[in-house]
Amino acid sequence: MKSKTPVALRRKNSREETVPFQEKQGVRSRRHREGPSRTRRLPLHRLLCLLMVAFKQPGLRAQPAPPAAGSSQAALHGLRRPRQEPRAPQEETALREETEEAFCGPSPSACPSGTRGQRADQQVKSLSSVLSRYQGFDGEDGGRKNCFGRSGSPLYIRVPVGTLVKEGSEVVADLSHPGEEYVAAVGGAGGKGNRFFLANNSRAPVTCTPGQPGQERVLFLELKTVAHAGLVGHPNAGKSSLLRAISNAKPAVASYPFTTLNPHVGIVHYEDHKQIAVADIPGLIRGAHQNRGLGASFLRHIERCCVLLFVVDLSAPEPWTQVDDLKFELEQYSAGLAERPHAVVANKVDLPRARANLPRLQARLGGKAIALSAVTGENLEALLWRLKELHDLHAAAEPQMLRW
């Protein structure tokens, strides 16, 4: 039976390693007999990387060899001022300091914040989506290596076409055409970074100025309906029914007055691809210019209309007095408003009592009233042709009028 060689265990590098027992008795192992181990050679790419890192670090730069003792260069070398090591870059001020550059380049300033403005959009029909407070986007800070901060993005507030922008009682903007814009508030100016304060006696300035806050304003938005023609009349005169008959608009229709509380706009299409916008203005009563029956909020929409259509309830007693009352209210609200191109529309001609009032109305107005029925569609073509004539006359006088 063969005897087993005893072995001793020792811990090396956190691993168990078996070592022959003879090695502890002084017997040299194979690795000791081969002689001392040779120095490990580094690959060329790793050697180049170490050299590049050494030259980039200021403390590891290779210094030139001193001149020989006894020479004139050695004497001058002793008188030279010892070279100061460059300071490390400061994180707070984003300085960039490298001895290979001709100067220390601090970071530029931060950029201004975004501006706020209104833009007229045909897709927006009311001011219900407009918030009571808006705040623009902030700009970003400057960074290292002369990087400027990004400017704040502009903030656009979409409003309907025909929106008035007021500051107090003063009108500052009238967005009456699609795509018009108004700058409501300007963003603050950006601050100055460290580079702005760079000088010959200050190669690494640590001074900087913060950005300024943006402009703050309190503005009031008021919507005035934009249309070529406006249907003006007393409550329950049949204006909404007439708009439904000549266009695809669908305003509410009922047998009680003040059914319409907000203007509705319908588009009338003609064979030559011409389009005319007609607005249904809520009903006006006597004293509307004094804001009776919300008259002031209704009259402001008429200012946008270049052509007026006075809708008269032909079944009412003395319908010609309605025309006089409407013109009086318009003239009291704004001088010259009742003198715009207009036509008188005698509605509800299908009723028996209306037939009896038609001759007297034509006699009072000189035969200029257009008798029709919005319910049955009687004589609607005469109204459409008259509307086109008034529109063409006004378009020839003012070529820059609104186009739909």
Side-chain angles (χ1 to χ4, degrees):
M1 184 174 181
K2 297 182 180 181
S3 61
K4 297 183 180 179
T5 305
V7 296
L9 297 178
R10 69 179 181 181
R11 184 175 298 275
K12 182 179 180 181
N13 296 334
S14 301
R15 293 186 302 174
E16 295 292 340
E17 182 180 5
T18 59
V19 182
F21 184 76
Q22 290 83 355
E23 187 173 347
K24 298 187 65 176
Q25 299 295 332
V27 180
R28 299 178 60 86
S29 61
R30 180 179 179 182
R31 62 179 181 179
H32 290 281
R33 292 195 303 265
E34 290 179 354
S37 60
R38 299 181 181 179
T39 304
R40 183 180 179 183
R41 296 181 180 179
L42 295 176
L44 180 59
H45 67 279
R46 293 194 60 184
L47 182 60
L48 292 177
C49 293
L50 291 176
L51 290 176
M52 291 175 64
V53 172
F55 274 95
K56 281 190 176 182
Q57 297 181 3
L60 298 179
R61 287 183 177 273
Q63 302 292 340
S71 61
S72 59
Q73 295 182 359
L76 292 177
H77 179 73
L79 296 177
R80 288 179 181 175
R81 185 177 179 180
R83 182 174 181 179
Q84 297 181 356
E85 294 296 336
R87 295 175 297 177
Q90 302 181 12
E91 295 292 337
E92 292 81 2
T93 55
L95 288 178
R96 180 169 56 89
E97 181 174 348
E98 296 178 3
T99 56
E100 295 178 356
E101 304 246 343
F103 56 87
C104 299
S107 61
S109 61
C111 285
S113 59
T115 58
R116 280 80 70 189
Q118 285 93 14
R119 174 183 293 175
D121 193 344
Q122 286 183 316
Q123 303 298 327
V124 182
K125 302 302 180 183
S126 65
L127 295 174
S128 59
S129 61
V130 179
L131 303 179
S132 59
R133 185 177 182 272
Y134 286 92
Q135 182 177 357
F137 302 102
D138 295 331
E140 295 184 357
D141 298 333
R144 296 184 176 183
K145 298 183 179 180
N146 297 331
C147 294
F148 286 85
R150 186 175 61 180
S151 300
S153 303
L155 174 62
Y156 289 98
I157 304 172
R158 300 172 58 193
V159 296
V161 177
T163 301
L164 287 180
V165 184
K166 293 184 177 181
E167 189 170 11
S169 59
E170 180 185 1
V171 178
V172 296
D174 185 1
L175 307 178
S176 59
H177 296 276
E180 285 187 342
E181 298 178 1
Y182 172 70
V183 180
V186 182
K192 296 179 175 59
N194 309 97
R195 183 180 179 85
F196 180 83
F197 301 95
L198 184 66
N200 293 333
N201 57 354
S202 179
R203 306 307 299 173
V206 294
T207 306
C208 61
T209 58
Q212 301 298 322
Q215 184 181 11
E216 294 184 4
R217 299 176 68 183
V218 178
L219 301 175
F220 299 92
L221 302 181
E222 179 181 334
L223 177 60
K224 288 187 176 181
T225 304
V226 179
H228 298 120
L231 300 176
V232 184
H234 284 187
N236 206 22
K239 301 181 296 299
S240 299
S241 300
L242 183 58
L243 183 63
R244 294 170 66 102
I246 63 177
S247 68
N248 292 327
K250 302 299 180 183
V253 176
S255 59
Y256 54 87
F258 292 105
T259 306
T260 302
L261 297 179
N262 295 311
H264 295 271
V265 179
I267 306 300
V268 180
H269 300 270
Y270 290 89
E271 294 181 354
D272 55 354
H273 303 286
K274 181 177 294 185
Q275 297 178 351
I276 299 178
V278 181
D280 176 18
I281 308 299
L284 303 177
I285 61 176
R286 292 183 179 181
H289 66 280
Q290 300 175 354
N291 201 23
R292 291 186 59 185
L294 300 178
S297 59
F298 299 156
L299 285 168
R300 60 193 174 111
H301 299 285
I302 305 177
E303 293 181 338
R304 300 283 190 178
C305 303
C306 56
V307 177
L308 302 180
L309 298 177
F310 295 106
V311 182
V312 177
D313 185 2
L314 196 56
S315 62
E318 298 182 355
W320 52 86
T321 59
Q322 300 181 22
V323 181
D324 298 335
D325 294 341
L326 294 174
K327 289 185 177 181
F328 177 77
E329 296 297 334
L330 296 182
E331 193 67 25
Q332 293 296 320
Y333 178 77
S334 177
L337 187 58
E339 302 298 329
R340 293 185 180 182
H342 62 274
V344 178
V345 180
N347 194 15
K348 303 183 181 180
V349 73
D350 54 312
L351 298 179
R353 188 172 181 179
R355 297 285 183 179
N357 293 331
L358 181 57
R360 293 193 296 174
L361 178 63
Q362 294 287 11
R364 291 295 185 104
L365 301 179
K368 298 181 180 179
I370 303 175
L372 54 83
S373 175
V375 176
T376 62
E378 181 182 353
N379 206 22
L380 286 179
E381 293 184 0
L383 172 63
L384 297 178
W385 283 112
R386 181 57 180 167
L387 176 61
K388 185 178 180 182
E389 291 177 1
L390 295 175
H391 176 268
D392 294 342
L393 291 176
H394 189 270
E398 297 184 10
Q400 300 296 331
M401 66 178 306
L402 176 68
R403 295 182 180 273
W404 288 78

